[in-house]
Amino acid sequence: MGKKNLSQRIENRTVLLNLQMAKYNHLEIESKWQTIWETQKLYQVDLKAAKRPYYNLMMFPYPSAEGLHVGNVFAFTGSDIHARFMKLHGYDVFEPIGFDAFGIHSENFAIKVGKHPNELINNNVINFKENQLKKLGIMYDWSHEVNTTDPSYYKWTQWIFIQLFNAGLAYQKEGYVNWCPSCKTVLANEQTEGGNCERCGREVIQKNLKQWFFKITDYVERLYNNLKIIDWSNIIKKTQENWIGKSAGVEIIFTTVDDKTKIRVFTTRPETIFGATYLVLAPEHPAVDMVTTSENKSLIKKYRDDTIKKMSLNERT
Ligand SMILES: [Zn+2]
């Protein structure tokens, strides 16, 4: 092939490429189809009339001022692919969306910028919805959008709480919790990384707080058994099992020599009890006060303060 011929072909190909690129205007094409989907109410589902209802629930984002992050988009896209797959298989797929907008983060942010949380949340929701979520082209049924800060929504979370309270499943108790001094919030163990807050990186401290608990221990058996019948990966099932924390064993009551203090100990190995030579109490254990002799009081107090208030989870472990 001659030199001229080759350069002519390269030129032709460049022209062709330029033409193809000019042809695909994603902003125009996507907004055209998204408008058609919306006007045809393509993704709205009448659940009462649906013959093959399929509920495809993804978690609702927390509408932060920064907007959606790429991790949200990654997770939502995967979920939407599954929803579209089920739709093409003839299911009446309901894919709801909403905003989980309550919480200490909204409150802290509002304090930081000096604005009412309600005003901030509304602006953030508009940004999430109009500028981000709708442009992703996910088949959400926006006619069922929920916002957890809407009184018509949270009256039901309050109603559920009252039912739990009346059934004795919600109760208050004082206890030491993981506390992030910068987010000013309680953290679950899963929200800490190496003794630091997962969100801001600040060292987590232990704080004694009176707070609400849900008595999920009543459901340990059911939670545990139901894991066997759901289609989840083994890694996730194992995490759930550890979180449920079911452990079979016995409680043994030890009594101090003066017979005044009783200490309950849980063990999975009661048959080894005859080898037990000592008990270790956590610094926050109420029995520490009972067994401390007067000459050791100040020393123990210092140890407790140092451990409970100053040490991170990691250092204690
Ligand atoms: Zn934090």
Side-chain angles (χ1 to χ4, degrees), residues 105 108 179-185 187 191 196-204:
H105 300 308
N108 287 345
W179 178 262
C180 173
S182 119
C183 297
K184 296 183 178 66
T185 185
L187 303 172
Q191 292 171 305
N196 297 325
C197 171
E198 163 193 75
R199 197 178 156 84
C200 73
R202 178 95 175 252
E203 198 165 51
V204 173

Side-chain angles (χ1 to χ4, degrees), residues 20-74:
Q20 281 175 339
M21 283 167 84
K23 266 192 216 157
Y24 185 68
N25 182 337
H26 69 279
L27 288 176
E28 208 174 274
I29 290 170
E30 285 178 13
S31 80
K32 174 191 158 187
W33 285 105
Q34 285 163 13
T35 311
I36 290 171
W37 296 342
E38 203 165 332
T39 36
Q40 290 187 348
K41 299 183 175 158
L42 197 60
Y43 302 135
Q44 287 188 24
V45 182
D46 181 356
L47 286 170
K48 280 178 193 145
K51 285 202 175 72
R52 299 177 78 193
Y54 189 83
Y55 186 44
N56 195 76
L57 174 68
M58 191 46 188
M59 62 179 181
F60 296 164
Y62 157 71
S64 64
E66 295 89 6
L68 279 180
H69 56 77
V70 74
N72 291 134
V73 179
F74 176 78

Side-chain angles (χ1 to χ4, degrees), residues 80-140:
D80 189 56
I81 289 169
H82 182 67
R84 286 176 184 273
F85 177 82
M86 296 308 279
K87 192 175 167 68
L88 290 173
H89 276 266
Y91 287 90
D92 302 296
V93 179
F94 174 51
E95 197 172 3
I97 187 67
F99 300 95
D100 183 8
F102 256 137
I104 196 80
H105 300 308
S106 311
E107 203 177 311
N108 287 345
F109 185 70
I111 293 168
K112 195 173 145 194
V113 299
K115 284 187 177 167
H116 195 282
N118 207 21
E119 185 192 336
L120 288 171
I121 286 165
N122 280 338
N123 290 342
N124 293 349
V125 163
I126 291 168
N127 182 37
F128 264 60
K129 188 174 167 180
E130 301 304 330
N131 301 330
Q132 299 194 292
L133 283 169
K134 282 196 172 176
K135 287 189 179 162
L136 290 173
I138 290 176
M139 47 180 274
Y140 291 134

